[in-house]
mmCIF file of all heavy atoms in Angstrom:
data_model
loop_
_atom_site.group_PDB
_atom_site.id
_atom_site.type_symbol
_atom_site.label_atom_id
_atom_site.label_comp_id
_atom_site.label_asym_id
_atom_site.label_seq_id
_atom_site.Cartn_x
_atom_site.Cartn_y
_atom_site.Cartn_z
ATOM 1 N N THR A 127 27.577 -17.743 3.282
ATOM 2 C CA THR A 127 26.980 -18.124 4.572
ATOM 3 C C THR A 127 26.292 -19.500 4.537
ATOM 4 O O THR A 127 26.063 -20.090 5.569
ATOM 5 C CB THR A 127 25.949 -17.087 5.017
ATOM 6 O OG1 THR A 127 24.907 -17.006 4.068
ATOM 7 C CG2 THR A 127 26.579 -15.739 5.244
ATOM 8 N N GLY A 128 25.964 -19.975 3.350
ATOM 9 C CA GLY A 128 25.242 -21.235 3.239
ATOM 10 C C GLY A 128 23.759 -21.078 3.458
ATOM 11 O O GLY A 128 23.041 -22.070 3.518
ATOM 12 N N ILE A 129 23.255 -19.857 3.597
ATOM 13 C CA ILE A 129 21.844 -19.590 3.761
ATOM 14 C C ILE A 129 21.195 -19.616 2.365
ATOM 15 O O ILE A 129 21.788 -19.154 1.405
ATOM 16 C CB ILE A 129 21.600 -18.187 4.367
ATOM 17 C CG1 ILE A 129 22.360 -18.035 5.713
ATOM 18 C CG2 ILE A 129 20.140 -17.890 4.550
ATOM 19 C CD1 ILE A 129 21.851 -18.920 6.825
ATOM 20 N N ALA A 130 20.021 -20.217 2.273
ATOM 21 C CA ALA A 130 19.313 -20.289 0.977
ATOM 22 C C ALA A 130 19.102 -18.898 0.397
ATOM 23 O O ALA A 130 18.814 -17.940 1.137
ATOM 24 C CB ALA A 130 17.983 -21.021 1.143
ATOM 25 N N ARG A 131 19.222 -18.786 -0.892
ATOM 26 C CA ARG A 131 19.128 -17.484 -1.572
ATOM 27 C C ARG A 131 17.785 -16.819 -1.325
ATOM 28 O O ARG A 131 17.700 -15.592 -1.194
ATOM 29 C CB ARG A 131 19.346 -17.696 -3.089
ATOM 30 C CG ARG A 131 19.060 -16.507 -3.998
ATOM 31 C CD ARG A 131 19.977 -15.357 -3.713
ATOM 32 N NE ARG A 131 19.679 -14.232 -4.555
ATOM 33 C CZ ARG A 131 18.778 -13.295 -4.286
ATOM 34 N NH1 ARG A 131 18.083 -13.357 -3.173
ATOM 35 N NH2 ARG A 131 18.561 -12.295 -5.078
ATOM 36 N N GLU A 132 16.688 -17.612 -1.216
ATOM 37 C CA GLU A 132 15.380 -17.007 -1.024
ATOM 38 C C GLU A 132 15.191 -16.446 0.420
ATOM 39 O O GLU A 132 14.247 -15.721 0.665
ATOM 40 C CB GLU A 132 14.257 -18.000 -1.321
ATOM 41 C CG GLU A 132 14.284 -19.260 -0.477
ATOM 42 C CD GLU A 132 15.057 -20.390 -1.169
ATOM 43 O OE1 GLU A 132 15.698 -20.141 -2.221
ATOM 44 O OE2 GLU A 132 15.015 -21.503 -0.634
ATOM 45 N N ASN A 133 16.134 -16.732 1.277
ATOM 46 C CA ASN A 133 16.083 -16.188 2.657
ATOM 47 C C ASN A 133 16.950 -14.950 2.812
ATOM 48 O O ASN A 133 17.176 -14.480 3.928
ATOM 49 C CB ASN A 133 16.510 -17.222 3.661
ATOM 50 C CG ASN A 133 15.509 -18.367 3.759
ATOM 51 O OD1 ASN A 133 14.335 -18.178 3.480
ATOM 52 N ND2 ASN A 133 15.974 -19.533 4.121
ATOM 53 N N ILE A 134 17.431 -14.406 1.721
ATOM 54 C CA ILE A 134 18.248 -13.199 1.743
ATOM 55 C C ILE A 134 17.606 -12.155 0.868
ATOM 56 O O ILE A 134 17.389 -12.363 -0.353
ATOM 57 C CB ILE A 134 19.699 -13.485 1.267
ATOM 58 C CG1 ILE A 134 20.341 -14.548 2.181
ATOM 59 C CG2 ILE A 134 20.503 -12.207 1.241
ATOM 60 C CD1 ILE A 134 21.672 -15.009 1.659
ATOM 61 N N LEU A 135 17.244 -11.045 1.454
ATOM 62 C CA LEU A 135 16.649 -9.923 0.717
ATOM 63 C C LEU A 135 17.615 -8.752 0.689
ATOM 64 O O LEU A 135 18.153 -8.367 1.723
ATOM 65 C CB LEU A 135 15.340 -9.460 1.383
ATOM 66 C CG LEU A 135 14.242 -10.517 1.511
ATOM 67 C CD1 LEU A 135 13.120 -9.967 2.342
ATOM 68 C CD2 LEU A 135 13.753 -10.933 0.141
ATOM 69 N N VAL A 136 17.841 -8.215 -0.511
ATOM 70 C CA VAL A 136 18.763 -7.094 -0.647
ATOM 71 C C VAL A 136 18.077 -6.010 -1.488
ATOM 72 O O VAL A 136 17.523 -6.310 -2.544
ATOM 73 C CB VAL A 136 20.101 -7.507 -1.314
ATOM 74 C CG1 VAL A 136 21.029 -6.296 -1.488
ATOM 75 C CG2 VAL A 136 20.789 -8.585 -0.510
ATOM 76 N N GLY A 137 18.114 -4.817 -1.004
ATOM 77 C CA GLY A 137 17.613 -3.668 -1.741
ATOM 78 C C GLY A 137 18.703 -2.636 -1.810
ATOM 79 O O GLY A 137 19.322 -2.264 -0.793
ATOM 80 N N VAL A 138 19.004 -2.139 -3.018
ATOM 81 C CA VAL A 138 20.112 -1.185 -3.201
ATOM 82 C C VAL A 138 19.512 0.130 -3.613
ATOM 83 O O VAL A 138 18.752 0.229 -4.573
ATOM 84 C CB VAL A 138 21.119 -1.695 -4.260
ATOM 85 C CG1 VAL A 138 22.211 -0.667 -4.490
ATOM 86 C CG2 VAL A 138 21.746 -3.008 -3.801
ATOM 87 N N GLY A 139 19.902 1.182 -2.875
ATOM 88 C CA GLY A 139 19.527 2.552 -3.212
ATOM 89 C C GLY A 139 20.749 3.300 -3.745
ATOM 90 O O GLY A 139 21.761 2.695 -4.090
ATOM 91 N N HIS A 140 20.644 4.612 -3.751
ATOM 92 C CA HIS A 140 21.746 5.417 -4.249
ATOM 93 C C HIS A 140 22.958 5.392 -3.334
ATOM 94 O O HIS A 140 24.087 5.446 -3.790
ATOM 95 C CB HIS A 140 21.323 6.879 -4.474
ATOM 96 C CG HIS A 140 20.246 7.019 -5.515
ATOM 97 N ND1 HIS A 140 20.458 6.622 -6.806
ATOM 98 C CD2 HIS A 140 18.989 7.467 -5.437
ATOM 99 C CE1 HIS A 140 19.330 6.829 -7.488
ATOM 100 N NE2 HIS A 140 18.433 7.377 -6.685
ATOM 101 N N ARG A 141 22.726 5.316 -2.044
ATOM 102 C CA ARG A 141 23.825 5.365 -1.072
ATOM 103 C C ARG A 141 23.875 4.173 -0.113
ATOM 104 O O ARG A 141 24.876 4.003 0.577
ATOM 105 C CB ARG A 141 23.713 6.650 -0.219
ATOM 106 C CG ARG A 141 23.733 7.914 -1.015
ATOM 107 C CD ARG A 141 25.125 8.359 -1.262
ATOM 108 N NE ARG A 141 25.125 9.645 -1.953
ATOM 109 C CZ ARG A 141 25.965 9.920 -2.895
ATOM 110 N NH1 ARG A 141 26.884 9.079 -3.248
ATOM 111 N NH2 ARG A 141 25.928 11.091 -3.514
ATOM 112 N N THR A 142 22.822 3.358 -0.078
ATOM 113 C CA THR A 142 22.805 2.248 0.886
ATOM 114 C C THR A 142 22.357 0.946 0.220
ATOM 115 O O THR A 142 21.651 0.962 -0.772
ATOM 116 C CB THR A 142 21.827 2.540 2.057
ATOM 117 O OG1 THR A 142 20.531 2.707 1.539
ATOM 118 C CG2 THR A 142 22.272 3.749 2.835
ATOM 119 N N ALA A 143 22.798 -0.137 0.825
ATOM 120 C CA ALA A 143 22.340 -1.461 0.435
ATOM 121 C C ALA A 143 21.753 -2.111 1.698
ATOM 122 O O ALA A 143 22.490 -2.329 2.672
ATOM 123 C CB ALA A 143 23.484 -2.301 -0.110
ATOM 124 N N ASP A 144 20.476 -2.361 1.726
ATOM 125 C CA ASP A 144 19.804 -2.961 2.898
ATOM 126 C C ASP A 144 19.773 -4.467 2.687
ATOM 127 O O ASP A 144 19.166 -4.955 1.744
ATOM 128 C CB ASP A 144 18.383 -2.429 3.039
ATOM 129 C CG ASP A 144 18.352 -0.941 3.388
ATOM 130 O OD1 ASP A 144 19.173 -0.539 4.236
ATOM 131 O OD2 ASP A 144 17.532 -0.208 2.832
ATOM 132 N N VAL A 145 20.403 -5.171 3.606
ATOM 133 C CA VAL A 145 20.500 -6.633 3.528
ATOM 134 C C VAL A 145 19.734 -7.218 4.701
ATOM 135 O O VAL A 145 20.001 -6.886 5.845
ATOM 136 C CB VAL A 145 21.982 -7.088 3.595
ATOM 137 C CG1 VAL A 145 22.063 -8.616 3.519
ATOM 138 C CG2 VAL A 145 22.786 -6.467 2.453
ATOM 139 N N THR A 146 18.762 -8.065 4.401
ATOM 140 C CA THR A 146 18.003 -8.762 5.446
ATOM 141 C C THR A 146 18.192 -10.255 5.253
ATOM 142 O O THR A 146 17.907 -10.778 4.157
ATOM 143 C CB THR A 146 16.489 -8.423 5.356
ATOM 144 O OG1 THR A 146 16.360 -6.999 5.460
ATOM 145 C CG2 THR A 146 15.724 -9.089 6.479
ATOM 146 N N VAL A 147 18.720 -10.912 6.288
ATOM 147 C CA VAL A 147 18.986 -12.358 6.227
ATOM 148 C C VAL A 147 18.066 -13.026 7.207
ATOM 149 O O VAL A 147 17.934 -12.608 8.360
ATOM 150 C CB VAL A 147 20.462 -12.660 6.565
ATOM 151 C CG1 VAL A 147 20.726 -14.138 6.480
ATOM 152 C CG2 VAL A 147 21.382 -11.895 5.643
ATOM 153 N N ARG A 148 17.385 -14.092 6.755
ATOM 154 C CA ARG A 148 16.478 -14.848 7.604
ATOM 155 C C ARG A 148 16.972 -16.295 7.690
ATOM 156 O O ARG A 148 16.532 -17.160 6.949
ATOM 157 C CB ARG A 148 15.057 -14.829 7.030
ATOM 158 C CG ARG A 148 14.447 -13.459 6.999
ATOM 159 C CD ARG A 148 13.045 -13.501 6.471
ATOM 160 N NE ARG A 148 12.498 -12.158 6.455
ATOM 161 C CZ ARG A 148 11.960 -11.618 5.396
ATOM 162 N NH1 ARG A 148 11.863 -12.289 4.263
ATOM 163 N NH2 ARG A 148 11.489 -10.383 5.449
ATOM 164 N N PRO A 149 17.921 -16.544 8.601
ATOM 165 C CA PRO A 149 18.425 -17.940 8.715
ATOM 166 C C PRO A 149 17.357 -18.813 9.390
ATOM 167 O O PRO A 149 16.492 -18.324 10.085
ATOM 168 C CB PRO A 149 19.655 -17.771 9.624
ATOM 169 C CG PRO A 149 19.398 -16.571 10.411
ATOM 170 C CD PRO A 149 18.551 -15.646 9.526
ATOM 171 N N GLY A 150 17.429 -20.066 9.114
ATOM 172 C CA GLY A 150 16.484 -20.989 9.716
ATOM 173 C C GLY A 150 16.716 -21.126 11.192
ATOM 174 O O GLY A 150 17.701 -20.623 11.769
ATOM 175 N N ALA A 151 15.830 -21.829 11.852
ATOM 176 C CA ALA A 151 15.947 -22.018 13.300
ATOM 177 C C ALA A 151 17.188 -22.841 13.623
ATOM 178 O O ALA A 151 17.484 -23.841 12.989
ATOM 179 C CB ALA A 151 14.710 -22.763 13.831
#
Side-chain angles (χ1 to χ4, degrees):
T127 61
I129 305 293
R131 171 64 182 87
E132 59 267 8
N133 292 333
I134 301 172
L135 301 173
V136 178
V138 177
H140 296 300
R141 302 273 183 219
T142 60
D144 293 318
V145 179
T146 303
V147 181
R148 296 183 181 127

